[in-house]
Amino acid sequence: MDTFGSATNTSITVTTSSTLVLALNPNRAYVAICNDSDATVYLAFAASASLNSGIRLASGQAFEIVNALNPYIGPIYAITSTGSKVLTLTHATFV
């Protein structure tokens, strides 16, 4: 059974242009993305994010990827409709 290796806690600023949140990582084990802003943010897998499509994160909401359950290792993008907004992230890799 694979186990988690290192974990990183960070934040990223999302704007009105599609922003790369996490790059492709074949060793990705876990990701938590939290919307730490006052506006809705949209997430997209594999391609640029666009407003009103993909995974909608309202203010204070979070989205998790646990690789054993949701094996997505590709890039993740985000966009917001106004200003610069912050997402907080925790991501871990397999040992």
Side-chain angles (χ1 to χ4, degrees):
M1 172 183 249
D2 290 325
T3 58
F4 285 17
S6 64
T8 302
N9 298 305
T10 189
S11 64
I12 188 164
T13 300
V14 176
T15 67
T16 56
S17 296
S18 184
T19 304
L20 180 65
V21 174
L22 285 174
L24 175 137
N25 184 345
N27 294 318
R28 182 178 296 146
Y30 175 81
V31 175
I33 301 172
C34 301
N35 183 356
D36 199 27
S37 77
D38 60 353
T40 298
V41 173
Y42 295 89
L43 302 178
F45 293 167
S48 294
S50 58
L51 297 174
N52 302 310
S53 68
I55 298 166
R56 181 184 188 275
L57 289 182
S59 177
Q61 287 187 321
F63 179 78
E64 285 185 302
I65 298 173
V66 180
N67 209 15
L69 303 174
N70 303 314
Y72 181 73
I73 60 171
I76 301 171
Y77 295 86
I79 195 169
T80 188
S81 63
T82 182
S84 297
K85 305 303 176 183
V86 174
L87 294 177
T88 58
L89 311 167
T90 297
H91 53 101
T93 56
F94 287 119
V95 173

